């Protein structure tokens, strides 16, 4: 069947926009990942437990990203069909999932880790980032991703069990707003500790990570990116904050989010972090309770209380035993 003139004309106007989700990660090796959650630093878990938990976060984040990219590709196909029918320029978005790790020997370790878990929703690309600092590692990973033909890069870490499909979609949609803007621009999502959980920009943007993670003026990561963009006169689009997990306090917060996401997934279009939820349950850390305290504003005029204070249940005492470890969790 031959194409109609309108279809031929639409195809001539078609543009493929290549999008890359660049995930920075490490193999879940005890003593090398999430050490601030362990007794090696200021945490309470054995290294095997922390690495097992990170393993679950990593797989959950990848699954969530794959689900979001499938949604984005479906929406792009629908827009392209409508544009084709209207005789307008057609932009077809393609998405690639890239996992960057270091050193080079860990590329095969990561590839095997995912392969052994079973079949994933889409192809996963693995590459190595190298350098003498975080800045250099991130810059090289971006350079390798641009070399693969990417037009937009959205990057993030793998320790964000509360990441949602909506977060990923919002990141790429923001990048697409900057696509075609003279000089480009950046998009970013803050974390909970003056850093960023997501950062990205378009191919036309003259930008990199230099001076961000080792800022000579003492700026933390989020203000360092903003300062860098301001000095270059680049637009920056703000995305909703996404918390990550580095410290025990971070974990406490994320435990409540993981529980909420897994419950809400029954009623909403959410890909739940079910592996992380299962791991936390095995660890005895699937809920958080806090003791009564006086660290609040005066409430006498509000509650009309003359004496005493509200009561609550005793604080939760998590189970942490010597040698506690997670059972293997497969995909």
């Amino acid at each position: 069947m031959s194409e109609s003139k309108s279809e031929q004309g639409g195809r001539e106007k078609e543009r493929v926009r290549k999008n890359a989700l660049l995930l920075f990660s490490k193999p879940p090796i005890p003593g090398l990942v999430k050490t601030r959650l362990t007794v090696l630093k200021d945490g309470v878990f054995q290294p095997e437990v922390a690495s097992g938990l990170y393993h679950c976060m990593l797989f959950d984040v990848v699954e969530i990203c794959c689900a979001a990219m499938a949604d984005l590709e479906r929406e792009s196909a629908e827009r392209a069909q409508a544009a084709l029918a209207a005789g307008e320029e057609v932009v077809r978005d393609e998405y690639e999932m890239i996992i960057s790790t270091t050193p080079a020997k860990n590329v095969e370790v990561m590839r095997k880790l995912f392969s052994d878990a079973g079949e994933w929703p889409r192809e996963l690309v693995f590459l190595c980032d190298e350098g003498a600092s975080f800045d250099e590692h991130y810059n090289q990973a971006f350079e390798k991703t641009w070399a693969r033909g990417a037009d937009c890069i959205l990057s993030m870490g793998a320790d964000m069990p509360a990441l949602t499909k909506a977060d990923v979609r919002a990141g790429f949609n923001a990048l697409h707003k900057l696509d075609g803007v003279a000089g480009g621009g950046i998009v970013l999502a803050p974390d909970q500790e003056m850093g960023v959980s997501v950062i990205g920009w378009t191919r036309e943007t003259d930008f990199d990570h230099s001076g961000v993670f080792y800022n000579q003026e003492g700026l933390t990561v989020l203000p360092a990116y903003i300062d860098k963009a301001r000095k270059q006169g680049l637009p920056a689009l703000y995305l909703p904050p996404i918390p990550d997990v580095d410290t025990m306090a971070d974990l406490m917060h994320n435990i409540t989010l993981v529980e909420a996401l897994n419950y809400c997934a029954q009623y909403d279009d959410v890909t739940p972090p079910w592996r992380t939820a299962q791991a936390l349950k095995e660890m005895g850390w699937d809920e958080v309770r806090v003791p009564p305290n006086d660290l609040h504003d005066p409430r006498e005029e509000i509650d009309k209380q003359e004496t005493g204070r509200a009561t609550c249940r005793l604080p939760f005492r998590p189970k942490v035993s010597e040698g506690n470890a997670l059972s293997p969790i497969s995909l």
Side-chain angles (χ1 to χ4, degrees):
M1 182 182 295
S2 61
E3 292 183 322
S4 66
K5 290 184 178 180
S6 62
E7 289 175 326
Q8 292 174 350
R11 195 169 298 281
E12 291 174 359
K13 299 178 182 179
E14 182 172 313
R15 176 168 71 96
V16 175
R17 181 167 54 197
K18 296 185 177 182
N19 303 272
L21 197 154
L22 179 58
L23 185 72
F24 290 95
S25 181
K26 294 182 286 187
I29 300 173
L32 295 182
V33 295
K34 295 299 140 198
T35 54
R36 289 203 62 185
L37 300 180
T38 75
V39 293
L40 300 175
K41 298 286 180 65
D42 51 345
V44 300
F45 301 114
Q46 295 300 314
E48 294 78 12
V49 176
S51 64
L53 181 61
Y54 175 72
H55 189 167
C56 296
M57 293 181 192
L58 169 62
F59 276 14
D60 280 341
V61 166
V62 171
E63 184 173 70
I64 291 163
C65 290
C66 287
M69 289 188 284
D71 289 347
L72 288 163
E73 287 172 337
R74 183 176 62 254
E75 293 167 1
S76 174
E78 292 171 354
R79 288 194 303 270
Q81 190 64 35
L84 184 64
E88 301 171 348
E89 181 188 21
V90 177
V91 179
R92 295 187 185 274
D93 284 299
E94 296 180 353
Y95 292 84
E96 186 172 52
M97 183 80 207
I98 301 175
I99 300 175
S100 186
T101 190
T102 192
K105 65 179 182 180
N106 280 342
V107 170
E108 189 55 38
V109 174
M110 291 292 280
R111 183 179 287 113
K112 186 176 187 304
L113 182 75
F114 280 87
S115 176
D116 288 349
E119 185 175 354
W120 290 85
R122 67 195 304 122
E123 180 185 1
L124 305 178
V125 176
F126 299 89
L127 59 81
C128 171
D129 55 85
E130 297 177 319
S133 67
F134 276 119
D135 296 347
E136 292 182 7
H137 278 269
Y138 280 45
N139 282 338
Q140 188 183 85
F142 267 63
E143 289 167 4
K144 289 184 176 181
T145 304
W146 296 129
R148 293 182 61 84
D151 295 304
C152 301
I153 298 177
L154 191 71
S155 72
M156 62 185 67
D159 56 352
M160 302 188 297
L163 179 75
T164 66
K165 292 196 300 180
D167 293 322
V168 178
R169 293 169 61 181
F172 280 113
N173 287 335
L175 283 172
H176 296 163
K177 289 181 180 179
L178 296 170
D179 183 36
V181 172
I186 70 170
V187 304
L188 46 74
D191 64 11
Q192 74 281 15
E193 291 286 350
M194 300 175 287
V196 300
S197 51
V198 173
I199 181 74
W201 54 84
T202 62
R203 175 179 283 276
E204 300 303 316
T205 310
D206 183 16
F207 199 76
D208 63 19
H209 304 273
S210 299
V212 170
F213 291 91
Y214 296 92
N215 188 272
Q216 297 300 310
E217 299 175 2
L219 294 175
T220 58
V221 174
L222 175 59
Y225 275 124
I226 293 298
D227 183 62
K228 192 176 177 76
R230 181 188 296 115
K231 288 177 178 177
Q232 294 184 213
L234 289 173
L237 301 184
Y238 185 92
L239 301 171
I242 309 169
D244 58 12
V245 178
D246 287 321
T247 68
M248 291 301 300
D250 298 338
L251 179 62
M252 296 294 188
H253 177 45
N254 274 272
I255 287 171
T256 65
L257 300 178
V258 167
E259 179 188 19
L261 282 167
N262 277 273
Y263 181 77
C264 292
Q266 303 173 77
Y267 312 101
D268 200 0
D269 184 21
V270 174
T271 299
W274 61 271
R275 300 174 186 83
T276 304
Q278 183 176 338
L280 290 168
K281 186 174 182 179
E282 291 182 16
M283 295 161 59
W285 281 71
D286 54 331
E287 62 179 351
V288 176
R289 306 287 176 86
V290 295
N293 64 77
D294 295 316
L295 303 175
H296 54 73
D297 293 334
R299 295 190 57 86
E300 286 77 10
E301 292 298 318
I302 299 173
D303 299 335
K304 300 300 181 183
Q305 290 179 301
E306 294 182 2
T307 60
R309 63 185 179 187
T311 60
C312 71
R313 283 176 286 184
L314 291 175
F316 173 63
R317 301 184 186 281
K319 297 172 291 189
V320 184
S321 59
E322 185 73 17
N324 184 15
L326 298 175
S327 302
I329 299 176
S330 60
L331 181 68

